[in-house]
Amino acid sequence: MNNFMYANPTEIIFGQGMIEKLKDVVPKAARVLMIYGGGSILRNGVYDQVKAALSEHTVIEFAGIEPNPHYETCLQAVTCIREQKIDFLLAVGGGSVLDATKFIAAAASYTGDDPWQILLDGGSSITQALPFGAVMTLPATGSEMNDGGVITRAATQEKLSFTSPHTFPAFSVLDPLTTYTLPTRQLANGLVDAFIHVMEQYLTDQHQALVQDYMAEAVVKVLIETSEAIIHQAPEYNSRANFMWAATWALNGWIGVGVPNDWATHAIGHELTALYGLDHAQTLAIVLPGVMVMEKAHKARKIMQLGRNVFGIDAIDDDALITQTIAAVEAWFHSVGMKTRLSDYQLDATAIDAICARFAERGWQLGEHRSIDAKRVREILTLRL
Amino acid sequence: MNNFMYANPTEIIFGQGMIEKLKDVVPKAARVLMIYGGGSILRNGVYDQVKAALSEHTVIEFAGIEPNPHYETCLQAVTCIREQKIDFLLAVGGGSVLDATKFIAAAASYTGDDPWQILLDGGSSITQALPFGAVMTLPATGSEMNDGGVITRAATQEKLSFTSPHTFPAFSVLDPLTTYTLPTRQLANGLVDAFIHVMEQYLTDQHQALVQDYMAEAVVKVLIETSEAIIHQAPEYNSRANFMWAATWALNGWIGVGVPNDWATHAIGHELTALYGLDHAQTLAIVLPGVMVMEKAHKARKIMQLGRNVFGIDAIDDDALITQTIAAVEAWFHSVGMKTRLSDYQLDATAIDAICARFAERGWQLGEHRSIDAKRVREILTLRL
């Protein structure tokens, strides 16, 4: 196990009816900016629940955060914060709203010249941020209990991430009932996104960190066992609760401490979203099987461990176990209705050229061995045509 | 899954050589009280490492915290804090030192008349506490990442516990190298203590909280898989690191949120320690198999899940699976050198009478169904003669 230092201070407020706790956990004297997206919270009753809980607070609203939230929109929210003398932010929605709120919290307190710098340096220039909490309605990103976010600059189609100890939510409310109205596509995206968050922290070298390994396996077992109910059956409380809580644990940091992390699948996927508008999880489901095949020289032992401990595969030899495990992962993506090929989205070698050009331009060398450069990305994506 | 609210803000500073980080995480201007026990840290080099790391801090020392720390000793530390104008505490040692430090931190800030009240009300009267951190040298109690402690009043042989959101360590340093000099008895105690911490949160009703269940199973799998190396082989880094990190997760609160908790084994065990001086873990290893047998009416499904998922037992029917699982737990205790009968410690029915009298006097009804009263304690302990 590697050395590490980590704290995760976010308070989790979990369960049915818990949105009402906002009245206690949002500071009474705060001027609150309630940040949300395109209006789904207006239709599913969450907006009304939040407003009722905060009926004795001062609440100003900022709507219109996009999926893959835009830098430009975040800057509008920063302007609003300054004009309205806001001192607490409340994100209400999914991972995009929460990611945007984290960036807004940091940008509103930023002392440098240009907040784009926050994204260029991955968050290391953040020295303070407005306090914020969240009502998370979409199990997927884990943003409700971590310090990271991903922001897209619409003008240049750049999608960049940041983390900072200053951008943990003070609290996150997770009410599984808020997921009942989610469309199947978003549920499938959430399952796949959470699954691949675990893979980015688990599917690396053998590193003898048993707690992290077995906790990672615990999280993906829950995702796999609940997925049939989540995608194909009417909403049921425990399934939704288990899915929601597993998605939080997939990326709250604790399974990734003391072990190598990969994140190449995410980096390649971000480019597919930025250039071609695919949903984040759709890109991950295309890329991961290619990463598993091309990087199996050093991921072999963990791929086999995944096959044995999570998928229950008992193969005749190591090669068969690896092949069957990669197939099982892709089959699970298909079982939740997720496509796994570039051609499923009418993308061809032209898309590969475009993405590899970006990798080459930035000189990126990704993965836990820094072995995934533009040439390797071409090999990975060529497998996924 | 049940509703819950929980935050665990403790920063973990994990790994070899990490004691030197104290120089950064202990506030520079603080007057620090370094609290420790009987001097094992003087022999194993930890004292010297701590003093070196804090060479530019103001450090006063308070030694002499006992195993099963005494209320009376804690009050002496409070007097020292007031005399020396201490404003930060640093626990260096095992769970007893850390438990004592939590109580001292609360008692030093206590505004009521008598700090014994903190133990009578289980910590609910704590409204503030001095900040404190820890260097934890004994994997066992999980005290390094939770808000609870257990204190013994020597004068009356009472052993009572408390928890409070104000008594989380600000940080805990966990260096697996500090465990290399632990005697086998303390290592075995730690393995068993951590195992039973998980059982108190896991071995209850079926409650469909899959993340908590599988994470609990992850923690005990690590304890079981590392125990052979821990007890019977020369110290090896990854085994010690995995054991140490698993012990933390056994009681940092996250596997116990949203599910029923039992804790009857601990309550019965505390009386055995208070009256007869057995090590804490020794008492737990005696009591747990009895609780499993006597409470199997409602614990049956979880006992079977433990047997299948952790011990890999495949039995011909439910009864056999339950019986074999309980036997497997007791066999694992034996494998680490832990005895499991009252008679192993020359205790007989007289001891059962004494413990049941205390339960009857207090009117305790314990366990997740409040089904464990004095009469049931007698049945449980009679099985363990």
Side-chain angles (χ1 to χ4, degrees), chain A residues 37-41 43-44 65-68 92-97 136-141 178-195 223 227 230-231 240 243-244 247 279-282 332 336-338:
Chain A
S40 65
I41 66 165
R43 293 186 295 276
N44 66 12
I65 302 293
E66 310 84 355
N68 304 304
V92 183
S96 293
V97 172
M136 168 54 92
T137 61
L138 175 57
T141 67
T178 64
T179 73
Y180 281 25
T181 50
L182 287 171
T184 304
R185 172 169 159 177
Q186 289 197 2
L187 293 166
N189 280 348
L191 286 163
V192 170
D193 195 17
F195 180 92
L223 296 171
S227 63
I230 296 294
I231 297 297
R240 294 299 170 102
F243 169 31
M244 194 167 214
D279 293 350
H280 175 56
Q282 292 172 337
W332 182 68
V336 301
M338 187 66 67

Side-chain angles (χ1 to χ4, degrees), chain B residues 5 11 15 36 43 79 84 97 121 134 147 166 176 184 186 196 200 214 241-242 272 285 298 302 335 382:
Chain B
M5 296 177 69
E11 179 175 21
Y36 58 98
R43 292 187 294 277
T79 301
Q84 297 282 345
V97 172
D121 65 30
D147 61 351
H166 301 285
T184 304
Q186 289 198 4
I196 293 177
E200 299 277 27
Y214 294 166
N242 285 320
L272 276 167
H298 47 88
K302 293 305 285 290
S335 80
T382 301

